[in-house]
Amino acid sequence: MTISRGCLCSNFTSKYCFSPISLWWHDPYISLVPCRLKPQSAELFQVVCILFTGPVISGVIPFRNSLVFHNMDKMISVFLHVSATLVLYKIRWYAPDTSLIWNAWIGKTIQPQNLNTSSFWLMAVPTICLYMHTILYHLIVNIIIKPDETYATSYRLISVMKGSFTYRMMHRFGPRYAEALYHGIYASLSTAFVVIAQIAYHYQAAHLALLTSFLLIVVWNGGSYYIHIFSRYKTLKARQENNGENQT
């Protein structure tokens, strides 16, 4: 909880407050509030679990989350996308054991292993929540508030990643349609991961494989980042040494 509050404060002070990856929908502390307020609701748990197992953690791909320990912004982004999903995995498959080391309400009120599943709560409601979030975010940020260029939004964060696959797809038809394509890609990928999350919810092996895959992506991005930085540093140092030799 302390880390989550720190992330929220950091994002507001650094003008990242309009990015959905750092506000209420993706914040791990806030995301668990519904389950805490009404832990006896199996349906609510299913909706939250699907959203975080699918659309939320999949954000590590377009936003290129990287395990770079010296960069606070990158570590906060990893924390916001991954942490709540790991907690929900533990509750989903090991609720009684989790209640022993956390809060007793998990084991006493929710037994996710024995929940009666429903396509309405596992598919329809998460998809509706997903599209409602997208529409509300667009209305509040792009139409009502209209923040200036000094503030970061989800679209602006993606726009600076010029080498990414998402950036290339956004600008496939030129900058004029880039933002519209961004929202289309976001909605399509999120919906696809809601479907993938159905398999993860029903099968522990698939759930574990999905989480492991995303964690490996984060580690790979972090390693690639360090290799890129070190290679640039080595090249710059070699140039400086050559310039020094030429001057002498």
Side-chain angles (χ1 to χ4, degrees):
M1 293 188 296
T2 302
I3 297 175
S4 182
R5 295 190 192 103
C7 293
L8 195 60
C9 293
S10 173
N11 287 318
F12 270 100
T13 55
S14 61
K15 295 191 175 183
Y16 278 86
C17 55
F18 293 108
S19 170
I21 65 170
S22 58
L23 202 53
W24 39 273
W25 192 53
H26 290 255
D27 184 83
Y29 173 59
I30 298 177
S31 69
L32 296 176
V33 168
C35 290
R36 184 64 182 90
L37 292 178
K38 196 176 181 182
Q40 70 276 13
S41 175
E43 293 80 8
L44 181 59
F45 174 82
Q46 292 173 351
V47 172
V48 173
C49 188
I50 290 297
L51 286 174
F52 278 82
T53 303
V56 173
I57 195 171
S58 66
V60 305
I61 299 175
F63 290 99
R64 297 180 68 177
N65 284 178
S66 307
L67 197 64
V68 180
F69 295 101
H70 73 277
N71 190 311
M72 181 61 70
D73 289 337
K74 291 183 180 295
M75 292 304 297
I76 286 176
S77 186
V78 171
F79 173 78
L80 293 174
H81 282 104
V82 173
S83 59
T85 309
L86 296 178
V87 173
L88 289 168
Y89 170 84
K90 178 70 173 177
I91 298 175
R92 171 70 182 92
W93 301 106
Y94 303 100
D97 295 337
T98 306
S99 65
L100 297 177
I101 59 176
W102 197 16
N103 291 316
W105 59 268
I106 294 176
K108 292 182 178 179
T109 57
I110 293 181
Q111 295 292 335
Q113 301 93 327
N114 302 319
L115 294 179
N116 293 322
T117 57
S118 167
S119 58
F120 176 75
W121 293 104
L122 288 176
M123 185 68 192
V125 175
T127 304
I128 292 172
C129 292
L130 177 68
Y131 281 93
M132 285 181 61
H133 166 265
T134 304
I135 294 171
L136 286 175
Y137 177 79
H138 177 72
L139 289 175
I140 294 172
V141 176
N142 298 329
I143 296 178
I144 299 176
I145 300 178
K146 296 180 179 179
D148 59 54
E149 296 295 330
T150 62
Y151 286 88
T153 64
S154 57
Y155 170 71
R156 291 171 186 171
L157 287 175
I158 294 292
S159 297
V160 300
M161 302 177 183
K162 296 185 178 181
S164 66
F165 172 78
T166 308
Y167 179 89
R168 294 195 299 270
M169 292 298 295
M170 285 165 46
H171 291 80
R172 189 175 182 85
F173 301 102
R176 181 179 179 180
Y177 303 101
E179 188 166 3
L181 283 175
Y182 162 75
H183 290 294
I185 293 171
Y186 171 81
S188 301
L189 288 178
S190 298
T191 304
F193 276 105
V194 167
V195 176
I196 294 174
Q198 309 298 312
I199 303 174
Y201 187 86
H202 288 89
Y203 302 98
Q204 184 179 5
H207 200 165
L208 182 60
L210 184 66
L211 297 185
T212 303
S213 299
F214 284 120
L215 292 176
L216 289 175
I217 291 173
V218 171
V219 174
W220 177 269
N221 289 341
S224 301
Y225 175 87
Y226 279 116
I227 292 174
H228 176 69
I229 292 297
F230 290 152
S231 62
R232 289 184 59 184
Y233 173 77
K234 188 175 181 179
T235 302
L236 180 61
K237 186 176 180 180
R239 289 178 180 176
Q240 291 175 344
E241 292 176 353
N242 291 333
N243 291 336
E245 293 176 358
N246 293 333
Q247 291 177 359
T248 57

